[in-house]
Amino acid sequence: MELITPGPASLVVFVSAALVLLLVPGPAVLYIFARSVEQGRLAGFISVIGIHTATLVHIAAAALGLSAILASSALAFGIIKYAGAAYLIWLGLRKLFGPRQESTVAVAEHKYGRLFRDGFVVNLLNPKTALFFLAFLPQFVDVSRGHVAMQIAFLGLLFTLIGFVTDCCYALAAGTAGGWLKRNRGYLQFERYISGFLFIGLGLTAAFAGNQRK
């Protein structure tokens, strides 16, 4: 069966956006840092595996749900795309003007099986993760190429692969830099503005470029 993917231009933009998003540490990265600092790099790697296993579940749900929406109405799919762009902008505004995140993450020492389970459950039950994929992935789908579910699944798997690599790099570095990053208030303030403007820019780009992707 032929693999239907978005066009090359969309893929380049998608990979670039995914890399920037993943390289800006968020709650999942802080969680991985905390595990790695408390129990070592292997604990961090196992947490990464658990988190991204749950990511695959979210991607499958997004692919099936969005393809069903398109099958019923192309207009509805367009509305979902613009609603997703608005959601990304809202995430950025909340990051800029919302309450500050705590700078520390308290974790107890657990066995490796529980580390995988905790990472999986935390990400699986996080509604923000599901909403993020519903908002982010449709922006790069080329409806004219068909097979929306396959395109979304492909983009989701690509995002997961990139995220797995970057998160493993964070786990590897946590032994030397993790504790400092969790405690440093200046870094957290810097990350707040970087993340906020990043989400707003991505949402605006998706909103204004959406009508060009036929």
Side-chain angles (χ1 to χ4, degrees), residues 127-158:
K128 295 179 182 178
T129 303
L131 287 173
F132 174 77
F133 282 117
L134 288 172
F136 183 65
L137 296 180
Q139 312 304 330
F140 303 92
V141 171
D142 187 347
V143 177
S144 66
R145 298 170 73 93
H147 299 274
V148 171
M150 188 175 294
Q151 289 189 57
I152 291 174
F154 176 83
L155 291 172
L157 290 172
L158 183 58

Side-chain angles (χ1 to χ4, degrees), residues 38-212:
E38 293 293 330
Q39 293 184 243
R41 293 172 178 174
L42 180 57
F45 291 145
I46 294 173
S47 297
V48 170
I49 294 173
I51 287 171
H52 287 289
T53 301
T55 297
L56 295 176
V57 177
H58 285 298
I59 291 167
L64 294 174
L66 291 169
S67 61
I69 291 173
L70 180 61
S72 62
S73 170
L75 175 61
F77 186 80
I79 292 173
I80 289 292
K81 289 183 66 174
Y82 283 107
Y87 176 72
L88 293 172
I89 294 172
W90 178 77
L91 284 180
L93 292 173
R94 191 180 66 172
K95 188 75 173 179
L96 289 173
F97 302 109
R100 297 183 181 182
Q101 292 181 346
E102 295 295 327
S103 60
T104 58
V105 179
V107 294
E109 187 166 327
H110 296 311
K111 295 182 178 180
Y112 293 135
R114 184 170 178 181
L115 288 174
F116 175 86
R117 186 196 69 186
D118 287 351
F120 178 84
V121 171
V122 165
N123 201 26
L124 182 67
L125 299 182
N126 184 1
K128 295 179 182 178
T129 303
L131 287 173
F132 174 77
F133 282 117
L134 288 172
F136 183 65
L137 296 180
Q139 312 304 330
F140 303 92
V141 171
D142 187 347
V143 177
S144 66
R145 298 170 73 93
H147 299 274
V148 171
M150 188 175 294
Q151 289 189 57
I152 291 174
F154 176 83
L155 291 172
L157 290 172
L158 183 58
F159 186 92
T160 303
L161 177 61
I162 297 171
F164 182 81
V165 172
T166 57
D167 285 349
C168 282
C169 290
Y170 278 122
L172 190 64
T176 54
W180 179 85
L181 286 175
K182 288 192 298 176
R183 293 191 302 267
N184 189 279
R185 293 184 178 273
Y187 163 77
L188 291 175
Q189 185 71 8
F190 176 76
E191 183 272 334
R192 176 192 186 96
Y193 289 109
I194 293 294
S195 299
F197 285 116
L198 175 65
F199 278 116
I200 292 172
L202 182 60
L204 290 173
T205 300
F208 287 107
N211 58 353
Q212 298 175 5

